[in-house]
Amino acid sequence: MQQSITLHNLRQQLVDSGLKATHQRIVVLEAVTALHGLHPMAEEVYQRLKPANPSISLGTVYKTLDTFADTGLVRRVLSQDGGKRYDANTDAHSHIYCSNTKEIVDFEDAELDELLTAFFKKRNIENFDLKGFSVQLTGTKVEPDKQIRISKA
Ligand SMILES: [Zn+2]
């Protein structure tokens, strides 16, 4: 899923989402894609693109990211502290959240998806068409200086 970010690529993603590929949108999409895996807040996206694009305001970045989220180009990720983060990884996946460092790490696990799919099939929630799910694990990193690692059994 990791693609190199090219201008052509970014334009195509915008057009595929039904958006006009304006310079502003291209720049914001490039920044949020480059920060992929870090689940940045709007401020962090803004800090990244500001040096090369001093005319774009933080407000514009906010608005543009929300437009992207509404069209499914990025996902909104809520952290436990209420901060709004953005995720350029739009494939179904879950998250691990550390409440000390506020770090959010992707957690992709086919086995978990299978378990949950089977579970909800059995539950058969009435009057609800389930399109997907994502789990967020909340906790604290045990060794603050180490990266969170996921090892499969
Ligand atoms: Zn993610």
Side-chain angles (χ1 to χ4, degrees), residues 4-23:
S4 67
I5 313 168
T6 64
L7 186 59
H8 172 78
N9 224 303
L10 294 167
R11 269 185 210 286
Q12 198 55 50
Q13 272 184 274
L14 287 164
V15 172
D16 289 347
S17 302
L19 297 172
K20 236 177 95 189
T22 63
H23 171 72

Side-chain angles (χ1 to χ4, degrees), residues 39-54:
H39 307 92
M41 292 186 281
E43 286 83 356
E44 290 164 308
V45 174
Y46 173 66
Q47 290 305 329
R48 183 176 174 99
L49 61 78
K50 197 169 79 164
N53 305 276

Side-chain angles (χ1 to χ4, degrees), residues 72-124:
L73 201 49
V74 300
R75 271 174 53 173
R76 285 190 184 91
V77 182
L78 289 172
S79 59
Q80 221 62 14
D81 56 7
K84 205 159 50 161
R85 317 266 206 108
Y86 296 90
D87 195 343
N89 180 1
T90 52
D91 296 341
H93 67 283
S94 295
H95 289 120
I96 294 178
Y97 173 70
C98 171
S99 54
N100 278 344
T101 62
K102 314 288 184 225
E103 194 180 341
I104 297 180
V105 175
D106 281 346
F107 181 53
E108 290 172 85
D109 191 315
E111 197 184 342
L112 176 66
D113 292 348
E114 279 166 32
L115 280 170
L116 289 173
T117 304
F119 174 86
F120 287 118
K121 206 174 264 173
K122 222 165 48 191
R123 277 291 176 274
N124 195 19

